Every structure is written in structure tokens, then in C-alpha cells.
Amino acid sequence: MTQGGKMASEDAEILCKLETLKEIRSKMLQLEKVKARLKQDVETTEQENVCLKEYREEMDMLLQEKMAHVEELRLIHADINLMETTIKQAEVERNRSLEAAKRMYEEVCPLKDHVDQLRASIGLEKLPSLEEEDERITPQYFEKQKAEWATDQTDPPIPESLAAAAAAAQELQVARQKGDTGRGFRQQPPPMKACLSCHQQIHRNAPICPLCKAKSRSRNPKKPKRKPDD
């Protein structure tokens, strides 16, 4: 090989190495970028995994709190039923006592008049009137009490929010019991709607969600206008 041919061969080899170095440099830059993206994605994955664990723990706490509220509302509803029964029993006893007192009054009045006549026949003074002995014992007392108590027979309205919440808790309790004992029986479900805050099914007429305590809002709230930068 001549000297010129040898130099040409060496130049070609050098050029080939330079091209190889150029490709290596390009691939190294690409490799570093991919490795950086890989590390970033792994880091993001770990961070999101930690966040997910915290979110799940918070969700568990919220579910426990929800069930505690449901149980509390069920107990309140049971207390309301017990108090209604107690009030009705007390009203029966009161009215029975009033009727007995009225009968005794109707029996006492003629008997006292007769005693007063006998006392007057021998010059004795009349006995003190029943009203003098007890100012409550008058004919008007029985009529007034009867009229006033008649208005008490109508039960006072329960606030709508409490009534709806208690009804929802009661329906949930009944559904659970039927789910355990009579799964083959299907009952017509009450009118429900989804709470826009916790997305749980609540009674359609409930102004406040008995589970998350959020006020009911419109199903089609006005959406805020988006900014141009968005």
C-alpha cells in the first residue's frame, strides 16, 4: 500500500470513530433524559401511593363516622317513638283523672247542697264552698281543661330535617334487617336522591343530608365561567 492510500485509510477510520462518538454522545443525552423521566415517574408513583394510603384511611374514618351518625339517628328515631308513646299514655291517664274528678264534682255538689240545707234547718252556717277550699275546683275548670287538652291531641310537627334524617336511618335499619331475614322479598323503595356532597342516597324531601350534614343543592348548579388562561 502506498503512503497516500495508508493516510486515506487512517482518515476514514478517524472519521468513522468521530461519527461513532457523535452517536454515543447523542444516545447518552437521550439515555439521561429517559433515566430522568424514569426516576421522576417512580418518585411520582411513590408519592401518589402514599397519598392513596392517606386517602383510604380518611375514607375509612369518614365511613365509620357516617355509620355512627346513622346509628345515632336511629336511636333518636327510637327515642321519638318512645316519647310519643309515653305522651299518649300520659294523656290517657290525665283524661281519665279529669273524668273521674268531674264525676266526683257532680256527686259532691248535690251532696253538699243537701248537707247545707240540713245545717240551715237547725241554724248552722253553710259549709265553705268547694271553690273556697280549692280555687281550682269550679265548673269552668273542667270545661276549660277539656277544651285546652283537646287541642293537645294533635302531635306537634317534627322539624323536616329531623324527620327526614330519622326516616332515612329507620329505612336503612329496616333494609338491613330484611336483607338478613327475607332476601327474597322486594319492597318498593322510598323516593330518594343522591347527595351532591357525599353522593349517598338520601330521602328526596330531606333539606339536609343526614349523613354528611350538607344542605341539598340544585341538581343543575350554575357553572363558573372559565378564565381564558384555563
Side-chain angles (χ1 to χ4, degrees):
M1 181 181 294
T2 62
Q3 186 175 1
K6 185 178 180 180
M7 290 182 62
S9 176
E10 291 177 353
D11 290 343
E13 185 178 354
I14 291 173
L15 288 174
C16 182
K17 289 182 178 179
L18 289 175
E19 289 294 331
T20 302
L21 288 173
K22 181 180 178 182
E23 184 178 1
I24 290 174
R25 182 175 180 276
S26 175
K27 295 299 181 181
M28 286 293 294
L29 292 175
Q30 183 179 358
L31 177 62
E32 290 301 322
K33 289 181 180 180
V34 173
K35 285 170 63 177
R37 288 285 304 275
L38 172 62
K39 292 180 180 179
Q40 182 179 358
D41 290 341
V42 170
E43 182 66 23
T44 302
T45 301
E46 291 299 319
Q47 292 177 355
E48 291 298 327
N49 193 37
V50 173
C51 292
L52 278 171
K53 183 179 179 181
E54 295 177 354
Y55 296 156
R56 289 192 177 99
E57 291 176 352
E58 184 67 20
M59 176 64 75
D60 290 340
M61 293 178 63
L62 290 172
L63 289 173
Q64 292 176 8
E65 184 179 359
K66 182 189 77 170
M67 297 311 300
H69 284 306
V70 169
E71 178 64 16
E72 182 180 358
L73 289 170
R74 187 188 67 80
L75 294 175
I76 291 175
H77 190 66
D79 289 342
I80 290 174
N81 290 335
L82 177 61
M83 186 56 62
E84 288 177 347
T85 302
T86 304
I87 289 174
K88 290 179 180 178
Q89 291 175 349
E91 287 176 346
V92 170
E93 291 297 327
R94 180 197 61 187
N95 294 340
R96 183 181 299 151
S97 298
L98 177 64
E99 291 298 327
K102 186 177 180 181
R103 288 196 302 269
M104 292 300 100
Y105 180 78
E106 292 173 350
E107 183 177 343
V108 164
C109 287
L111 182 59
K112 179 182 180 300
D113 291 341
H114 184 61
V115 171
D116 286 340
Q117 290 176 3
L118 293 175
R119 288 173 64 88
S121 65
I122 59 175
L124 297 177
E125 293 182 357
K126 294 182 178 181
L127 295 173
S129 65
L130 296 174
E131 186 175 356
E132 291 175 350
E133 294 181 4
D134 190 333
E135 62 181 8
R136 295 173 300 177
I137 304 179
T138 62
Q140 293 77 17
Y141 171 81
F142 298 100
E143 297 302 325
K144 180 181 178 182
Q145 293 297 329
K146 191 172 182 180
E148 290 181 353
W149 293 347
T151 60
D152 294 341
Q153 298 299 323
T154 56
D155 296 332
I158 300 175
E160 185 177 1
S161 57
L162 177 58
Q170 184 71 7
E171 289 165 2
L172 178 60
Q173 184 69 13
V174 171
R176 285 180 179 173
Q177 293 174 354
K178 290 187 176 181
D180 295 336
T181 59
R183 296 183 180 179
F185 178 77
R186 179 171 294 181
Q187 187 181 17
Q188 184 68 24
M192 306 293 282
K193 67 179 178 180
C195 174
L196 298 181
S197 296
C198 67
H199 306 293
Q200 297 295 323
Q201 291 295 315
I202 61 175
H203 197 275
R204 183 179 61 189
N205 297 328
I208 298 177
C209 177
L211 304 178
C212 68
K213 308 300 183 184
K215 292 184 177 179
S216 295
R217 301 193 298 270
S218 172
R219 291 181 177 272
N220 299 307
K222 293 182 179 180
K223 296 182 179 180
K225 296 182 179 180
R226 298 183 62 183
K227 296 180 181 180
D229 296 338
D230 295 339

